[in-house]
Amino acid sequence: MIDQRLREALSEAAQTARLHSIQPLRTPSKRPRPRVFLLVAVPTAIAIGVLVLVRLTPPPMEAATSGPPPRLSAFLCLKNDAFPRCKGRREATIDERRRIEQVLRSLPQVASFKFEDQGEAYRNFRAKIVASADPQEREFLASVRPEEVPASFRVKVKSAAGLAAVARAVEGLPGVANVVSGP
Amino acid sequence: MEVELLSHGEPSARDRVDVAVLFADHHLGLVRLALLMVGDLSTAEDVVQDAFARTHAGRRRLRDPDRALAYVRSAVLNGCRSVLRRRSVAFRRPLPYEAPIWSAESAAMLSEDRREVLLALSGLPRRQREAIVLRYYFDLSHQEIAAAMGVGDSSVRSAITRGLAALGRQLGEDT
């Protein structure tokens, strides 16, 4: 009879699942419902927290950073300078230099700065760069004339974090050709 | 775990359905039901675990303690239907699953005759297959089968009759 065969087949197949061989059932873990107000409240709280922190944290002290203070140099425009900022204009004037000094003094990130005029720049150039160059390059570098070496502001910044801010502030000023980090 | 049920003025502990206990009591039977439906044990276990999780999540909607078992059975049957439906389209993306118990590759060693019966059963339309398993494995009454499958009494009767006739034809018996 078909129903007898069916019964036997079903029960035999079912017997292959035994209680000790099957995994126990687990209560589903409770999934927290999304709380809409948290979606607004949490980012707001974080934003306020960050704002307060940023406002209240004093600018990091130089002592806190290990190693020498980071430096950057802002080079001034020359006569017929190739830098795009100096295109179509004359050499940086005294007034522009004053303005740059003023800005550097006002920036809290600046530890100290020094103006290096063209004569001094040329002497440094000869002493440091030309002297340490390869013999082949030396000939070319020695042909650089004093009026082709730009004057610059050599700036010491209190911490590496302030480097970008100082660079941004100085870069856009009239008379500045370019800003590079390093001495 | 425990559910308040509509008590109709009869205050008693009987009116509470503990879904976890219900499942624990019927776990093996439900896994076997799912096994006969989907053919492999690990999928069967998954189906029952899923049905348990769903029933547990919706336990507040489970009002009638007398119908709780039927509810749970239909939850498992529903899970099996989903699995089979998914498999029927799944061959776009090969899903690894165990060879069904009715195939010769199965680790469960069944005799040729048993496999033949189960294979024929697996080829029946869904409603006939479900009704036959509930009838001949669980020995449920027509009313209980109807409750678990969510269909009427008469549908169950005709599904079983037709299913048996089809099996008889396939297995070369005269019934």
Side-chain angles (χ1 to χ4, degrees), chain B residues 74 77 81 126-127 130-131 134 144-151 156:
Chain B
S74 44
L77 280 183
R81 288 171 198 164
R126 170 175 66 76
R127 189 176 285 188
E130 288 176 1
L134 291 172
E144 286 173 311
I145 297 172
M149 288 176 58
V151 297
V156 171

Side-chain angles (χ1 to χ4, degrees), chain B residues 83-95 97:
Chain B
V83 165
L84 295 175
R85 192 180 310 122
R86 228 174 297 142
R87 275 185 194 165
S88 71
V89 291
F91 293 105
R92 294 177 217 148
R93 183 166 58 99
L95 290 174
Y97 68 93

Side-chain angles (χ1 to χ4, degrees), chain A residues 1-28, chain B residues 1 23 27-28 32 35-36 41 45 49 52 56 101 108 110 113-114 117-118 121 132 136-137 139 164 171 173 175:
Chain A
M1 284 296 281
I2 181 70
D3 49 352
Q4 193 50 38
R5 277 176 77 186
L6 199 50
R7 256 180 233 284
E8 285 167 6
L10 287 175
S11 91
E12 204 169 297
Q15 293 298 320
T16 61
R18 295 185 188 282
L19 195 53
H20 59 81
S21 66
I22 60 181
Q23 301 273 332
L25 289 169
R26 280 171 299 116
T27 314
Chain B
M1 283 298 158
F23 263 90
H27 187 191
L28 183 59
R32 286 174 170 174
L35 171 69
L36 294 175
L41 187 57
E45 285 182 53
Q49 168 67 48
F52 172 56
H56 194 271
I101 41 176
L110 295 180
D113 178 62
R114 305 284 188 250
V117 174
L118 292 170
L121 181 65
I132 284 179
Y136 290 95
Y137 176 61
D139 280 321
L164 281 185
L171 300 171
E173 289 201 22
T175 25

Side-chain angles (χ1 to χ4, degrees), chain A residues 37 46-47 54 90 93 126 164 181:
Chain A
F37 81 94
I46 290 173
V54 166
R90 303 180 312 121
T93 62
R126 293 294 296 226
S181 58

Side-chain angles (χ1 to χ4, degrees), chain A residues 58-66 158-159:
Chain A
M61 292 290 107
E62 197 180 323
T65 63
S66 53
K158 283 177 186 163
S159 75

